[in-house]
């Protein structure tokens, strides 16, 4: 096998709480992560020249060590002294700097692909251990599905699949710095009522109760991102008025997702969000669930 094609799937956060800022500067989080059917496409190909080459469809994306996919390839290439080189072609579809773990998912796909291509025999757990060196979201992007993430996001516990539903994804024409959001959160000063009830959300998922799940949805990072980018609140309102059971910002933003019970409702909301011109990228999709 000289080449492999892969899909790097995006994620949304059904719930995101920040418990505290640690002394080392990292933040202690408690999140429910969900993989969705929106993905980047990657092709990995062995080449004779002993280097990593990378090509993307977006001219502003780095194709060197500033790209997580490149870093993932380098990590395994150096650890296993892999012969020859590797060419990575990345077709980017997940919105960039959008709170959807696009870069982390690309890195996860490259780790998985290099493992297959060179028959390294690494287990999913071993790939996840390497992934955390690249970023806190990378292990989750290897695991996929519905999961509780704790610690800095690297402690993962698989949850039952979220109830069947339809998702509307909308990213406004702004990019948000995750660093800016966390630096301005002041996590240790949050009031109790500002924290979403993640445990209640887990119970709703276990009961397969979509309405109950959406009633508990919350993202503490909205406290920072929405005042800085009010368009996020406008998109949420547009989705709720169009019939969403719940609408929320994913990650540190600015992407907003809405959850719908039926496909006709989701399609109607898709048209409403498109007509509002509040978002630059709009997608209609469904959750991706790992078969367990």
């Amino acid at each position: 096998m000289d080449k492999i094609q892969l899909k790097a799937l995006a994620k949304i956060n059904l719930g995101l709480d920040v418990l505290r800022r640690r002394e080392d500067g990292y933040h202690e989080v408690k999140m429910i992560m969900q993989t969705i059917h929106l993905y980047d496409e990657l092709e990995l190909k062995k080449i004779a020249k002993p280097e990593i080459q990378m090509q993307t469809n977006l001219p502003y994306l780095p194709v060197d060590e500033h790209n997580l996919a490149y870093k993932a390839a380098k990590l395994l290439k150096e650890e296993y002294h892999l012969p020859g080189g590797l060419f990575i072609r990345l077709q980017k579809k997940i919105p960039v700097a959008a709170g959807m773990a696009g870069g982390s998912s690309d890195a996860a796909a490259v780790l998985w692909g290099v493992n297959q291509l060179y028959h390294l025999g690494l287990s999913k757990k071993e790939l996840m251990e390497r992934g955390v060196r690249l970023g806190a979201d990378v292990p989750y992007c290897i695991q996929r599905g519905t999961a509780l993430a704790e610690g800095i996001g690297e402690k993962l516990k698989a949850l039952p699949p979220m109830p069947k539903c339809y998702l509307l994804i909308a990213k406004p024409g702004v990019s948000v710095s995750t660093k800016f959001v966390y630096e301005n959160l002041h996590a240790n000063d949050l009031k109790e009522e500002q924290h979403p009830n993640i445990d209640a959300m887990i119970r709703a998922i276990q009961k397969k109760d979509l309405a109950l799940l959406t009633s508990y949805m919350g993202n503490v990072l909205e406290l920072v991102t929405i005042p800085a980018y009010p368009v996020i609140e406008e998109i949420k309102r547009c989705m709720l008025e169009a019939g969403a059971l719940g609408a929320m910002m994913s990650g540190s933003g600015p992407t907003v997702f809405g959850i719908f019970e039926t496909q006709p409702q989701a399609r109607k909301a898709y048209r409403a969000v498109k007509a509002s011109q509040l978002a630059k990228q709009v997608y209609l999709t469904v959750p991706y669930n790992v078969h367990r």
Side-chain angles (χ1 to χ4, degrees):
M1 183 164 64
D2 286 328
K3 67 177 178 180
I4 188 168
Q5 291 181 315
L6 303 151
K7 289 175 181 175
L9 280 77
K11 66 86 188 162
I12 54 173
N13 298 87
L14 298 174
L16 195 163
D17 195 10
V18 179
L19 306 180
R20 64 184 183 96
R21 185 187 172 99
R22 307 192 315 191
E23 285 179 20
D24 61 7
Y26 285 101
H27 287 80
E28 199 82 31
V29 297
K30 190 170 183 178
M31 312 183 285
I32 298 177
M33 316 273 264
Q34 176 62 50
T35 314
I36 64 171
H37 275 283
L38 174 62
Y39 53 83
D40 294 340
E41 293 176 348
L42 290 107
E43 183 183 74
L44 309 185
K45 193 161 61 175
K46 290 180 184 176
I47 54 173
K49 210 171 181 183
E51 63 185 22
I52 297 165
Q53 297 174 4
M54 191 167 178
Q55 192 181 85
T56 83
N57 61 318
L58 300 178
Y60 54 83
L61 279 186
V63 287
D64 56 13
E65 288 189 39
H66 294 95
N67 190 302
L68 278 179
Y70 184 105
K71 282 171 86 165
K74 189 180 178 202
L75 188 149
L76 288 182
K77 184 167 168 48
E78 289 182 350
E79 182 180 351
Y80 288 92
H81 308 289
L82 300 177
L86 191 69
F87 173 74
I88 304 168
R89 179 180 284 111
L90 169 61
Q91 186 75 17
K92 200 88 185 126
K93 292 179 183 175
I94 300 169
V96 177
M100 301 186 77
S104 297
S105 193
D106 294 339
V110 169
L111 290 175
W112 185 268
V114 170
N115 186 43
Q116 298 294 312
L117 209 51
Y118 291 90
H119 308 289
L120 301 180
L122 291 165
S123 67
K124 188 182 274 193
K125 184 173 179 287
E126 288 169 326
L127 287 172
M128 288 163 72
E129 284 164 1
R130 284 154 180 81
V132 76
R133 293 186 228 159
L134 300 167
D137 278 347
V138 179
Y140 167 72
C141 292
I142 292 168
Q143 179 175 308
R144 294 178 170 177
T146 314
L148 172 67
E150 295 179 285
I152 60 165
E154 88 292 5
K155 293 176 186 168
L156 298 168
K157 181 187 173 190
L159 296 173
M162 77 175 286
K164 188 186 171 189
C165 62
Y166 297 87
L167 302 168
L168 180 58
I169 311 291
K171 181 191 181 273
V174 294
S175 292
V176 173
S177 157
T178 302
K179 189 168 179 276
F180 162 81
V181 175
Y182 276 97
E183 279 177 356
N184 288 278
L185 181 64
H186 311 302
N188 298 349
D189 302 327
L190 293 175
K191 298 182 182 76
E192 193 179 333
E193 63 271 15
Q194 290 176 304
H195 292 279
N197 191 337
I198 302 293
D199 292 334
M201 292 185 71
I202 293 170
R203 288 193 293 273
I205 289 170
Q206 289 165 340
K207 289 178 184 171
K208 300 211 172 297
D209 190 329
L210 189 63
L212 188 61
L213 171 62
T214 54
S215 73
Y216 283 114
M217 274 189 348
N219 179 348
V220 79
L221 299 182
E222 288 187 345
L223 294 169
V224 177
T225 313
I226 287 177
Y229 304 96
V231 67
I232 294 166
E233 189 64 59
E234 291 179 60
I235 294 172
K236 283 177 65 177
R237 196 180 306 117
C238 184
M239 288 186 182
L240 291 166
E241 284 171 0
L245 287 173
M248 197 177 83
M249 182 181 85
S250 183
S252 54
T255 300
V256 176
F257 66 90
I259 296 181
F260 298 84
E261 215 157 6
T262 70
Q263 197 174 41
Q265 287 171 326
R267 284 188 173 146
K268 180 187 160 198
Y270 174 89
R271 291 192 294 272
V273 172
K274 281 286 236 188
S276 74
Q277 298 188 322
L278 293 167
K280 202 173 178 184
Q281 291 164 279
V282 188
Y283 302 96
L284 204 49
T285 186
V286 292
Y288 169 92
N289 289 314
V290 176
H291 300 295
R292 287 194 275 278

